[in-house]
Amino acid sequence: MDALCDHALFNFSVQDADLMDYIEAIQGLLVASPDTDEEQALVLNAINVVEEYILATPHTKATYSYLLPSVSLLKQELSYYVSVPSTLDGPVITDDEQGSMSGALMPSHVPNTWVHMSCAIYLPELYFVHHNVVGLDALKPRRKLKCMFCKQPNKGACAQCAHPKCTASYHVQCALEHGVTFHDTSGTGTSYTSLCPTHHLRRPLPLNQ
């Protein structure tokens, strides 16, 4: 595990302060010599956070795609050391009540509670404070919505179609798996909206409005 502390990923110069913090967080976890399955799973999750951050918007993907081969290689090399547990010590509150491990996870301001990074980015009530996700209490109305894809009510916060009068809703993870695109309508990566499959075909959502 010590050999990974000097991985090529940590030698790149990155201008994005948040991305640099996430990369340094990986190195910090590796320096701490994680030896339990849970600690090693946190390292893998931190790598997933970096990967999803890079892929989250067209701008970050275009600017930092050169990091992806190193991210992928580090993940592969880490797999030789890691036996990933099925759950973390705490619930995943935005995607389902069973503690789904799909997708990168971010810590929330609530102790031992995790949030899918995709939910933290695309649900408007959530935002980051010192790399912790804040705004969970505001998700209560969204948790009552039924996902049009998995058909499961009360299984996590749902996003909603931005088309006027459309009542379609969907979990962010389910939506991404079914090809729904979240568009940056702020131009700054701070506000995203989406259209359900029906209305996306009828009227593509304009950007930056």
Side-chain angles (χ1 to χ4, degrees), residues 4-195:
L4 298 182
C5 296
D6 295 321
H7 196 273
L9 177 63
F10 307 128
N11 296 323
F12 288 104
S13 176
V14 176
Q15 297 301 314
D16 186 301
D18 287 336
L19 179 56
M20 193 67 220
D21 284 347
Y22 294 141
I23 292 173
E24 289 177 351
I26 298 172
Q27 191 173 32
L29 289 169
L30 290 172
V31 169
S33 299
D35 53 9
T36 68
D37 284 352
E38 183 175 284
E39 290 171 342
Q40 292 170 357
L42 288 175
V43 178
L44 182 59
N45 180 70
I47 297 173
N48 287 335
V49 167
V50 169
E51 185 175 52
E52 290 197 16
Y53 185 93
I54 294 171
L55 297 174
T57 69
H59 171 72
T60 54
K61 184 176 180 180
T63 306
Y64 298 108
S65 60
Y66 67 90
L67 295 174
L68 291 175
S70 292
V71 172
S72 178
L73 181 60
L74 178 57
K75 188 185 299 186
Q76 180 180 357
E77 292 173 348
L78 185 68
S79 68
Y80 298 137
Y81 298 90
V82 175
S83 173
V84 181
S86 59
T87 60
L88 290 173
D89 183 19
V92 178
I93 58 88
T94 60
D95 205 43
D96 65 66
E97 297 175 343
Q98 306 304 315
S100 169
M101 286 288 288
S102 62
L105 303 176
M106 298 291 295
S108 80
H109 69 290
V110 179
N112 296 321
T113 303
W114 298 80
V115 179
H116 287 100
M117 185 176 184
S118 56
C119 295
I121 292 173
Y122 295 133
L123 293 179
E125 294 85 356
L126 301 182
Y127 55 97
F128 294 95
V129 175
H130 301 304
H131 307 302
N132 289 325
V133 181
V134 177
L136 308 186
D137 290 342
L139 293 178
K140 290 180 180 179
R142 292 186 179 276
R143 290 180 63 80
K144 298 177 182 179
L145 300 173
K146 184 176 181 179
C147 176
M148 66 179 294
F149 297 115
C150 72
K151 311 296 184 184
Q152 297 295 316
N154 302 314
K155 286 293 185 180
C158 286
Q160 292 176 279
C161 177
H163 191 279
K165 299 183 179 180
C166 181
T167 60
S169 57
Y170 29 76
H171 298 126
V172 173
Q173 293 285 99
C174 293
L176 294 173
E177 291 171 3
H178 286 82
V180 173
T181 301
F182 288 80
H183 297 275
D184 177 10
T185 53
S186 65
T188 61
T190 58
S191 180
Y192 290 84
T193 54
S194 62
L195 292 171

